[in-house]
Amino acid sequence: MMASEKDYKEQKDRVIKQKREGRVDPLDLYKLAPLLHRWRPSDKLPVCLLCHDVTKTPTQRGHLYPLSILREAGRDMFLDCSRGTGVTASKLAYYAFCPDCEGKFQQGETHLNPKFFKRLFHNTDQRLKVTTQNDGFPWLFYSCISIVWRILCFSSQNVDCFQLLECLRRYLLDWQDSKQIHHVQYKVKLFIFAPNSELDQQIKPDGSTNQRFFYEMFNAYISKEPTGTEPEGCAAWISCGPMHILMFYSEANFKAYHMGPEDEHLELEILSMLETETETFTVGDKASRCFPVEMYDQIVKWGTKVVSSAHRLPEEQATASSESLLHVDATHLDLLPRDVSYDTVTDEFGLPSMFRVEPTMRPCGSVTIVKASRGSDNLLFIAVKKALANKGHIALGLKINSDNTVSYMKGAAPNRSIQGGMYSTQPPLKEYIEAICCSLGFF
């Protein structure tokens, strides 16, 4: 079942109670982070997510992607695919880390943008060689680990990667400790990739449509290995524009993580793997560098889903949303107000407490309906499966009018047509939805 705003409040109360008792369960703190992200992004975690020191609390927003990188990318807005809202780079952050731990992240990020990301971002075709140590501190490895860890912490899948999170957290706290270094070396494989010539050839038929997923996107894909006879494991692909971080984690070995034939895997390790003791790291020119091109279809599929499902199209975001969607063959499209979400897997809407919801959801074949109200408005949240030409779904937030019609509810209506006029001031499937409302007695 989809986590609710009530779940957030209950989980936060649980952590606050533990804090008063002098010790917070790491698992409960990890559970709270994605709930805060979804329901109360301006709230503060009761305890620092990194050090777990009950005497320290977050006092400023901490970024998951370093702010210097986000600014270097030159983007005005970033889309939060969980909440469906656009935020500026300065607000793509949470009150999650105490000042001391923010300082730990900064010791790597001071070097990351000027020495690596900036040079790669503005010269994606050229060879890039960097010294990755600064007075014995492996700043590039540390920065990549910190980005992976922070993003994983705020993923709804984080509790499935608990051992990984704790392994990385302990290393970030004490990167000089030989025990933590050994654990990271034994359990983690870290790669940095940049688009190469082979990838560009694969992108060419689709032009700018798919290029954004490899050159412009800031997002993450997480894969949890099944438990049982296989070792506990996790893989994460983090996109930072043209800088791609791939991390494999295993409690035992890496047999499940070979990305192709043995010789190809070996080439990736030789040319692209970054370790704690790495002293120099080279991203070759486009013709010579490695990129796991066999992951192309998977990344495009994931990217398309993220971009198409992240847009609610409220008026204040119309420009950014429309420009993105014009080039994307949407797998599903959510025409919902901010902070309302629809989960295609569980077939559930996520609604904040401002909406008064009828006790039951009404599924009608390929249609799922939730009736609600806000103030004097009667509202309808409806998902229609396979409504798009490519068999994707549409999810809408609608107002039930006094004349037995429906219209976009406030905050959900696009202010101009997109995708060839498919969406205008009138909701798609309007007459079909009105007929369903009539049959269910909503009118």
Side-chain angles (χ1 to χ4, degrees), residues 112-127:
L112 181 61
N113 186 54
K115 293 182 179 179
F116 191 82
F117 182 81
K118 182 177 182 178
R119 296 168 61 190
L120 176 63
F121 184 80
H122 294 289
N123 296 281
T124 54
D125 293 355
Q126 304 302 312
R127 182 176 182 269

Side-chain angles (χ1 to χ4, degrees), residues 101-139:
C101 289
E102 280 289 341
K104 291 182 182 296
F105 297 139
Q106 285 297 321
Q107 63 185 336
E109 292 170 12
T110 299
H111 304 281
L112 181 61
N113 186 54
K115 293 182 179 179
F116 191 82
F117 182 81
K118 182 177 182 178
R119 296 168 61 190
L120 176 63
F121 184 80
H122 294 289
N123 296 281
T124 54
D125 293 355
Q126 304 302 312
R127 182 176 182 269
L128 171 61
K129 183 176 181 180
V130 295
T131 301
T132 63
Q133 304 275 342
N134 182 59
D135 293 331
F137 172 53
W139 61 265

Side-chain angles (χ1 to χ4, degrees), residues 173-381:
L173 283 170
D174 198 356
W175 61 270
Q176 292 174 297
D177 183 84
S178 59
K179 181 180 179 182
Q180 304 309 328
I181 293 173
H182 173 74
H183 283 170
V184 168
Q185 288 176 330
Y186 178 69
K187 297 178 180 181
V188 173
K189 285 190 176 183
L190 189 69
F191 301 84
I192 299 180
F193 300 111
N196 64 0
S197 297
E198 185 180 358
L199 179 70
D200 281 354
Q201 288 299 315
Q202 200 154 338
I203 290 174
K204 267 187 177 181
D206 302 295
S208 61
T209 305
N210 291 347
Q211 185 168 339
R212 72 182 61 213
F213 303 139
F214 299 94
Y215 285 89
E216 301 174 20
M217 180 170 278
F218 282 78
N219 219 297
Y221 174 80
I222 301 162
S223 174
K224 178 70 174 61
E225 288 295 318
T227 56
T229 57
E230 293 295 326
E232 187 77 6
C234 181
W237 181 277
I238 312 294
S239 296
C240 305
M243 174 184 170
H244 296 264
I245 303 170
L246 175 62
M247 186 218 63
F248 293 141
Y249 171 83
S250 175
E251 282 292 304
N253 57 53
F254 294 94
K255 290 181 180 179
Y257 297 131
H258 288 184
M259 293 171 283
E262 193 69 31
D263 57 336
E264 292 181 11
H265 184 249
L266 181 61
E267 184 183 17
L268 290 172
E269 291 197 0
I270 292 173
L271 295 179
S272 303
M273 192 161 75
L274 181 65
E275 299 179 286
T276 57
E277 67 269 22
T278 301
E279 295 184 357
T280 60
F281 185 81
T282 302
V283 178
D285 60 29
K286 272 201 172 180
S288 63
R289 69 179 63 148
C290 275
F291 191 96
V293 179
E294 63 271 18
M295 296 177 64
Y296 178 88
D297 290 338
Q298 183 178 358
I299 293 171
V300 169
K301 182 179 179 181
W302 151 63
T304 302
K305 180 179 179 180
V306 167
V307 173
S308 64
S309 65
H311 297 73
R312 270 63 170 178
L313 303 180
E315 292 185 4
E316 63 269 26
Q317 299 172 45
T319 300
S321 300
S322 298
E323 288 175 355
S324 297
L325 285 171
L326 281 171
H327 303 291
V328 174
D329 182 19
T331 55
H332 47 283
L333 187 62
D334 296 345
L335 298 171
L336 298 165
R338 77 170 55 188
D339 287 338
V340 175
S341 58
Y342 173 72
D343 190 317
T344 58
V345 176
T346 61
D347 194 22
E348 294 179 298
F349 283 93
L351 304 173
S353 57
M354 67 180 72
F355 297 102
R356 297 187 299 277
V357 183
E358 286 195 354
T360 56
M361 185 184 301
R362 301 171 184 260
C364 308
S366 62
V367 180
T368 298
I369 300 176
V370 174
K371 192 170 183 287
S373 61
R374 183 176 60 184
S376 60
D377 290 338
N378 291 316
L379 306 172
L380 196 69
F381 297 98

Side-chain angles (χ1 to χ4, degrees), residues 19 22 24 29 46-58 98 100-101 169:
K19 178 180 180 179
V24 174
L29 198 52
V47 178
C48 174
L49 193 55
L50 181 60
C51 67
H52 296 181
D53 188 333
V54 296
T55 67
K56 299 178 180 179
T57 54
C98 70
D100 290 338
C101 289
R169 185 177 74 87

